[in-house]
Amino acid sequence: MNQTEPLNIPTYQKEDFASDQTPRWCPGCGDYSILAQLQRVMPAIAEQTQTPRENMVFISGIGCSSRFPYYMNTYGFHSIHGRAPTLALGLQVSRPELMTWVVTGDGDALSIGGNHLMHCLRRNLNVKILLFNNRIYGLTKGQYSPTSELGKRTKSSPLGSVARPLNPLSIALASQATFVARAVDRDPKLLQDVITQAALHKGSAIVEIYQNCNIFNDGAFAHVSERKSRDDNTLKLQHGEPLVFGRQRDKAVVLNEQLQPRVVATSEISESDLLIHDTSRDNSGLTYALSQLQYPEFPVPVGIFRALKAPTYEERVHQQVNEAKRQKPATALQQLLDSGETWRVAE
Amino acid sequence: MLQEPKDKHSPNTHLSQAIIRFAGDSGDGIQATGAMFSHNSAALGHDISTLPDYPAEIRAPAGTIAGVSSFQLNFSSRRIHTPGDRPDVLVAMNPAAVKAHISSLRPGGTLIVNDDGFDEQALKLAGYDKDPREDGTLDSYHVHRAPVSTMTVESVKALQLAPQQAALCKNMYTLGLVCWLFDRDTDFIEALVEQRFAQESEVLREANCMALRAGYNFAETTEMFSSQCRVETAEQSPGLYRRLSGNTATALGLVAAAQLAQRQLMYCTYPITPASDILHELAKLRHMGVIAGQTEDEIAAMGAAVGAAYGGSLAVTGTSGPGVALKSEAIGLAVMTELPVVIINVQRGGPSTGLPTKTEQSDLLQAMYGRNGECPVVVLAPDSPADCFTMAMEACRLAMKYMTPVFLLSDGYIANGSEPWQVPRVDQLPQFRTNEPVCSETQSQFLPYSRNPETLARPWVVPGTPGTEHRIGGLEKQDGTGHVSQDPLNHEQMVQLREQKIAGIAEDIPELDVFGSSAGRLLVLGWGGTGGAIRAAVEEAQAKGLDVACAQLRYLNPFPKNLAAVLDAFDQVLIPELNRGQLRQLVRAQYLVDAQGLNKVQGQPFHTSEILEKIENLCQQPSEAVA
């Protein structure tokens, strides 16, 4: 808790973050890649944030993704469906020095746990949320999820899903999340970079990770993960860089006069007309519009959408406690018990 | 009992006990009036017990029966256990208050009415075709009429308040009348008014005091009442006393427990009647390091409590029945992960939204069994407002020592009711032992599900501890290692271990006390908030020579280990409950005793007389000592 005291943390290797448990995801599952990339960047995260391994906690809900904590050699809590953010709230307020991660999926975070996700983000609790989006319920063997596309045929929707999908990042932005990003399981470099930036962020960080479920929803993100097509189908967001994409970097996303996004060839516009990505925009319509871009009409934006500096929830809580203590010296317990509507009976 | 002599100008009557009920519109300041008169009574040396009763609506339509708020006080020279069954004095501020409460006024009792509240509209709203003051309805009572509103406005005229603001002081005018009736001066209440308005408004302080004195003087000079009555003072052991409601007592118990255990108190909750006052009390204590937070819903409150417990805090959540229903899954998680969490259920009438402001004891089986799987937890129930302090501390002690969720079943009656509490000395409170891990350098592998051989508790090892990184969760655990296990025999063993851990707590809790002889004809067995009414009824029955004893369970799971022997020593067992027989089911199932029930589900506490009548029935013998 004492932040002035320098922690002398050891130098970790990737292996230090692997637990003695063997992962039990299906062979070929995107979760393996995410686990590997996370373990790879953990030593650097520990060093840069001066967080020893014992101060790291992974909390999950229920679903395939939520087995994650068992494979990390940190503290871990595999909780109940949708409620991981609530446990993170209690833990992080009680122990602000910890680095708490929430690992969740599209069903866990957006369906049964939608309420908690929204409140976690708007509070700006200092927690890193990794949302594995595979657009399907995998652990229960293949029902449509809140991110499944309209018309999706699954075991529970043989004639096609009749509900429109949710967009996790639009919800995150609307919930005032201070760090919002998207990565893809099959793009290790992007994944490592985004996870590292999320870890360094102070406050609620949500990373949507497109994750392939090769059993129940194989190829859901092929358009952004196939090597030959991904540069043409993704828009890599870089702070301060123009919204330009394509293998030849010959296409750009711009806004028309009705502020609707459209794709143009860079040759058709002057350089000054290019939109420059700015992760520090608060309440920006442009950032929201980016979160709404959908393949195939648009490239899929990946990388960091928003990164804002703001006080965290637990900072505000403890600030109030400290301020209250400063203004009113701590009452001794006896004094507290002795207060109120009292009277004395004499000997 | 309060009797008004027929003869006018008779000298003061001396009484051992009086019951007064204030009733009026929810905007009439009834609760504040009752609270001040209670504090005054306690400070004068009476034993007191109070019963506030107010509508679920914040401001139900003025003048209607639905909008009537009341506050009953029993004050006595003897030790009393309940706010009393029927008031001796009823103060009614309007016709609706008369309509709602006149039937409970003791025949021959005193009724004080605000005549100004009886216009045609008010009579109509209360459902009176004729004025009850004129048509003989009130003939069996001593009725005292006073133009309270008019006199109040008149009395504060000098302060030039707006008429509405002046009229707001009418509760103080009434209090002045009552002060004179009970032969006490107004100094103490004036001091309370001073405290109340010290920071706010000098003119309001003055107005309230002026109205109070005016009421007192009116009673004195007009000889409104034929005589004054004086209630004798009670003998109390010396020391500092405090008038305490159950919810405040609960909050104080939690703060004390956290301090004794040297743990951060984290109270995670969602607003719900009648539990919210615990949050309000704790929210005032930021300067003592207390963190009391409001989450997005009941489930989040429970999840946050589990997270806080995992982090090493003393984690508590407070709610009422519907909230418990939502928390159930996360309570199961705390059972599986064996983390200490205290769950306070201030019970109210159910099912569903039920009767939010009314009391009931119908969540016992929910606390015992309301989760999936074999999921035992500790269940405690305080038996009076002040006992909430003791039992809240006890809940925390057991949770942390045995690494388990603990239910504390309070109820609307004791949560809002109040009684005098002799303030304990902190250095005399029981010391706490929490389940710190036993550090073993030689152990090569840390075992999160190893057990203390005495308590069967697993170690409370929190994140931030180097070298003991481990994973827990809701999936079944392998004994010792805590790894996920689906082994059939391991599951059976773990179910039994969790069961034995809770059952073993019987060795660590006090035995059940019996009031009266330890064997005999009839035992009245109660639990939780009915303690006062049962005790009062049994005292009366014993005074009539009946062979009856009583015992009040404050530990429901596990039961005290002598319960079987206690039950065995009596020919008959009567279990009064504010439900349809939940404790009776448990006792019958566990001890094969053919216990009889006395069950009431009206949203109201037991009257002593109801229990007494049942005792007399069961004893079936003529009472010997009719006074």
Side-chain angles (χ1 to χ4, degrees):
Chain A
M1 290 225 191
N2 191 342
Q3 287 171 355
T4 55
E5 199 175 304
L7 286 164
N8 197 4
I9 73 152
T11 306
Y12 296 108
Q13 306 300 319
K14 181 187 176 208
E15 295 69 37
D16 293 322
F17 288 93
S19 79
D20 58 355
Q21 299 294 294
T22 314
R24 292 191 201 166
W25 291 306
C26 309
C29 176
D31 290 358
Y32 284 101
S33 163
I34 304 172
L35 177 64
Q37 303 322 322
L38 186 78
Q39 287 172 341
R40 194 160 287 149
V41 294
M42 284 312 270
I45 289 171
E47 195 194 328
Q48 289 184 52
T49 59
Q50 284 291 292
T51 308
R53 187 179 61 180
E54 64 267 19
N55 278 12
M56 296 183 178
V57 186
F58 282 80
I59 303 179
S60 62
I62 294 293
C64 294
S65 61
S66 291
R67 295 295 181 102
F68 203 91
Y70 290 119
Y71 311 131
M72 293 295 297
N73 191 17
T74 61
Y75 283 89
F77 203 139
H78 178 208
S79 75
I80 46 177
H81 208 7
R83 319 299 174 202
T86 70
L87 274 86
L89 172 66
L91 180 62
Q92 202 55 37
V93 171
S94 134
R95 302 282 305 280
E97 78 278 20
L98 299 176
M99 176 187 274
T100 300
W101 300 72
V102 165
V103 181
T104 182
D106 40 318
D108 195 57
L110 301 168
S111 205
I112 194 165
N115 191 28
H116 308 307
L117 179 73
M118 174 174 85
H119 288 279
C120 181
L121 296 175
R122 62 112 175 163
R123 288 188 184 108
N124 201 30
L125 187 74
N126 190 15
V127 57
K128 321 300 153 205
I129 302 168
L130 306 179
L131 194 167
F132 298 10
N133 182 5
N134 56 15
R135 313 188 83 169
I136 199 81
Y137 279 89
L139 196 65
T140 49
K141 299 192 173 70
Q143 299 82 11
Y144 64 94
S145 91
T147 55
S148 293
E149 53 279 27
L150 190 64
K152 178 86 178 170
R153 287 173 193 270
T154 69
K155 280 183 192 160
S156 59
S157 58
L159 303 179
S161 156
V162 293
R164 289 179 298 166
L166 279 176
N167 183 325
L169 296 192
S170 296
I171 288 173
L173 291 165
S175 306
Q176 306 161 61
T178 54
F179 183 98
V180 180
R182 180 182 285 143
V184 182
D185 58 357
R186 293 204 190 154
D187 188 342
K189 197 182 155 298
L190 174 71
L191 193 51
Q192 288 180 20
D193 181 50
V194 166
I195 288 175
T196 305
Q197 295 309 313
L200 298 181
H201 176 76
K202 200 166 64 98
S204 282
I206 178 165
V207 182
E208 179 190 22
I209 304 172
Y210 282 171
Q211 174 247 321
N212 191 43
C213 173
N214 57 322
I215 305 296
F216 295 109
N217 201 15
D218 196 23
F221 304 108
H223 53 288
V224 293
S225 57
E226 296 298 327
R227 265 179 200 287
K228 56 181 191 306
S229 59
R230 78 176 175 207
D231 286 345
D232 284 326
N233 293 341
T234 57
L235 170 63
K236 285 209 168 134
L237 302 174
Q238 298 272 3
H239 179 69
E241 297 293 321
L243 297 176
V244 168
F245 69 104
R247 197 176 303 182
Q248 312 296 333
R249 293 187 61 77
D250 54 353
K251 287 174 272 189
V253 174
V254 295
L255 296 178
N256 69 12
E257 280 158 9
Q258 280 75 47
L259 300 178
Q260 296 301 306
R262 62 192 180 102
V263 173
V264 295
T266 46
S267 56
E268 286 173 25
I269 55 170
S270 70
E271 204 177 318
S272 60
D273 289 337
L274 289 172
L275 292 172
I276 307 297
H277 184 54
D278 183 354
T279 58
S280 69
R281 285 198 192 102
D282 198 356
N283 292 321
S284 158
L286 178 58
T287 314
Y288 183 81
L290 285 174
S291 76
Q292 288 279 306
L293 298 186
Q294 284 185 44
Y295 177 82
E297 194 186 351
F298 291 100
V300 176
V302 296
I304 299 166
F305 288 65
R306 181 195 275 170
L308 302 175
K309 282 200 173 76
T312 66
Y313 181 77
E314 57 271 43
E315 273 174 354
R316 289 190 206 264
V317 170
H318 288 277
Q319 217 167 29
Q320 261 191 8
V321 169
N322 294 335
E323 183 63 17
K325 280 179 177 168
R326 204 180 57 75
Q327 288 188 355
K328 197 172 170 184
T331 316
L333 178 57
Q334 188 69 61
Q335 215 184 325
L336 175 70
L337 302 185
D338 291 350
S339 64
E341 276 186 31
T342 59
W343 64 95
R344 195 169 282 283
V345 173
E347 297 274 351
Chain B
M1 289 287 163
L2 187 66
Q3 295 286 354
E4 286 194 41
K6 298 237 164 17
D7 172 28
K8 290 249 172 190
H9 312 296
S10 62
N12 283 2
T13 318
H14 287 253
L15 306 168
S16 65
Q17 182 177 17
I19 302 167
I20 182 167
R21 185 185 293 177
F22 299 91
D25 242 2
S26 17
D28 280 345
I30 295 297
Q31 301 302 322
T33 309
M36 281 190 280
F37 197 66
S38 303
H39 191 180
N40 188 194
S41 304
L44 285 170
H46 301 127
D47 194 14
I48 62 162
S49 179
T50 71
L51 175 67
D53 190 7
Y54 47 87
E57 297 77 16
I58 302 302
R59 287 277 188 276
T64 63
I65 289 172
V68 174
S69 165
S70 73
F71 188 103
Q72 183 164 315
L73 165 70
N74 184 0
F75 57 111
S76 172
S77 61
R78 291 175 282 125
R79 174 83 180 94
I80 48 171
H81 307 287
T82 75
D85 291 357
R86 313 190 74 172
D88 303 303
V89 178
L90 173 65
V91 179
M93 300 302 282
N94 63 11
V98 171
K99 184 97 174 190
H101 291 289
I102 194 67
S103 64
S104 50
L105 181 62
R106 183 179 54 74
T110 299
L111 173 68
I112 302 169
V113 292
N114 171 16
D115 259 353
D116 293 331
F118 280 69
D119 58 26
E120 206 168 311
Q121 168 76 358
L123 287 165
K124 208 175 132 199
L125 276 172
Y128 280 121
D129 297 332
K130 291 182 196 153
D131 190 335
R133 296 170 301 172
E134 314 289 349
D135 70 353
T137 308
L138 307 177
D139 279 358
S140 52
Y141 310 103
H142 292 274
V143 182
H144 301 281
R145 300 164 52 166
V148 173
S149 306
T150 317
M151 301 293 287
T152 302
V153 173
E154 189 66 26
S155 68
V156 299
K157 208 171 177 180
L159 296 171
Q160 296 180 320
L161 294 171
Q164 270 189 327
Q165 213 165 16
L168 279 179
C169 300
K170 67 177 183 289
N171 63 326
M172 298 307 295
Y173 188 92
T174 323
L175 202 45
L177 297 177
V178 173
C179 279
W180 189 87
L181 175 63
F182 286 103
D183 190 18
R184 51 175 82 165
D185 61 43
T186 56
D187 295 355
F188 188 88
I189 292 173
E190 283 183 52
L192 292 182
V193 170
E194 186 125 352
Q195 277 173 26
R196 163 76 177 74
F197 290 103
Q199 308 293 328
E200 262 181 57
S201 158
E202 173 57 26
V203 72
L204 286 184
R205 182 198 66 77
E206 187 55 32
N208 278 284
C209 287
M210 284 168 90
L212 176 72
R213 287 192 295 263
Y216 185 91
N217 293 337
F218 179 82
E220 185 166 60
T221 50
T222 61
E223 293 178 353
M224 174 180 179
F225 305 105
S226 48
S227 72
Q228 286 177 294
C229 350
R230 169 162 285 203
V231 175
E232 305 292 341
T233 57
E235 275 198 25
Q236 289 171 317
S237 57
L240 185 71
Y241 285 78
R242 173 173 180 173
R243 187 172 81 88
L244 196 62
S245 73
N247 273 344
T248 304
T250 300
L252 293 177
L254 299 177
V255 176
Q259 182 142 336
L260 293 171
Q262 298 182 313
R263 298 273 174 178
Q264 162 84 53
L265 176 59
M266 286 270 293
Y267 188 72
C268 314
T269 192
Y270 186 76
I272 186 168
T273 303
S276 301
D277 279 343
I278 301 172
L279 169 63
H280 304 159
E281 286 296 327
L282 292 172
K284 290 181 209 158
L285 303 177
R286 281 272 199 271
H287 67 289
M288 292 182 73
V290 172
I291 296 181
Q294 198 175 311
T295 54
E296 60 270 27
D297 61 26
E298 294 279 1
I299 298 173
M302 188 63 211
V306 173
Y310 179 58
S313 293
L314 170 52
V316 184
T317 186
T319 187
S320 190
V324 173
L326 286 163
K327 293 177 194 293
S328 298
E329 190 192 13
I331 297 172
L333 179 67
V335 168
M336 197 60 145
T337 53
E338 304 192 37
L339 285 168
V341 185
V342 173
I343 305 128
I344 299 163
N345 178 354
V346 185
Q347 299 166 95
R348 66 191 216 187
S352 187
T353 313
L355 305 167
T357 61
K358 309 294 177 192
T359 197
E360 211 161 275
Q361 290 185 301
S362 46
D363 297 343
L364 175 58
L365 294 183
Q366 180 193 41
M368 289 289 294
Y369 303 120
R371 293 164 296 281
N372 61 307
E374 298 289 348
C375 199
V377 297
V378 178
V379 182
L380 310 181
D383 66 9
S384 75
D387 193 40
C388 290
F389 176 80
T390 309
M391 294 312 273
M393 280 207 302
E394 182 70 339
C396 297
R397 177 184 78 91
L398 294 175
M400 291 188 283
K401 182 170 175 185
Y402 292 90
M403 296 292 284
T404 176
V406 176
F407 260 103
L408 185 69
L409 292 181
S410 174
D411 63 53
Y413 170 64
I414 58 173
N416 290 319
S418 66
E419 64 180 349
W421 176 55
Q422 187 167 14
V423 184
R425 298 292 93 197
V426 168
D427 53 19
Q428 284 161 17
L429 294 174
Q431 291 304 301
F432 272 66
R433 184 163 66 88
T434 60
N435 189 40
E436 304 281 357
V438 186
C439 274
S440 164
E441 295 291 332
T442 53
Q443 210 173 335
S444 59
Q445 191 199 5
F446 167 69
L447 296 175
Y449 276 73
S450 57
R451 288 179 193 281
N452 177 320
E454 182 204 338
T455 61
L456 296 183
R458 76 176 192 88
W460 195 4
V461 172
V462 300
T465 316
T468 51
E469 290 88 348
H470 65 278
R471 274 64 60 191
I472 58 171
L475 286 168
E476 183 60 286
K477 300 285 165 288
Q478 188 181 55
D479 189 19
T481 66
H483 292 324
V484 174
S485 167
Q486 308 214 1
D487 179 73
L489 292 180
N490 176 74
H491 175 53
E492 190 151 64
Q493 184 186 351
M494 293 302 281
V495 166
Q496 288 174 5
L497 270 171
R498 288 188 286 265
E499 189 179 297
Q500 284 162 14
K501 182 173 78 168
I502 302 302
I505 294 174
E507 297 297 327
D508 195 8
I509 58 174
E511 292 199 347
L512 181 62
D513 271 338
V514 176
F515 171 72
S517 60
S518 57
R521 176 148 186 187
L522 176 65
L523 174 75
V524 186
L525 181 71
W527 68 276
T530 53
I534 290 175
R535 173 69 179 257
V538 167
E539 279 182 7
E540 280 190 45
Q542 287 173 345
K544 291 181 173 186
L546 300 183
D547 182 8
V548 57
C550 65
Q552 196 71 4
L553 286 164
R554 296 148 77 226
Y555 295 83
L556 281 309
N557 197 38
F559 283 129
K561 61 182 178 182
N562 66 330
L563 178 56
V566 168
L567 292 167
D568 232 24
F570 291 87
D571 300 340
Q572 273 184 297
V573 177
L574 169 67
I575 303 185
E577 296 177 86
L578 299 174
N579 61 40
R580 295 294 299 151
Q582 300 192 8
L583 175 65
R584 190 164 88 240
Q585 272 193 39
L586 295 176
V587 166
R588 281 184 166 187
Q590 207 162 321
Y591 299 101
L592 296 175
V593 170
D594 184 20
Q596 304 298 303
L598 172 63
N599 302 97
K600 177 175 175 181
V601 279
Q602 300 169 8
Q604 295 294 330
F606 275 120
H607 288 161
T608 304
S609 58
E610 292 165 336
I611 300 172
L612 182 60
E613 190 183 341
K614 184 73 178 178
I615 291 172
E616 286 172 335
N617 271 342
L618 287 174
C619 288
Q620 283 176 344
Q621 62 181 40
S623 49
E624 293 164 10
V626 181

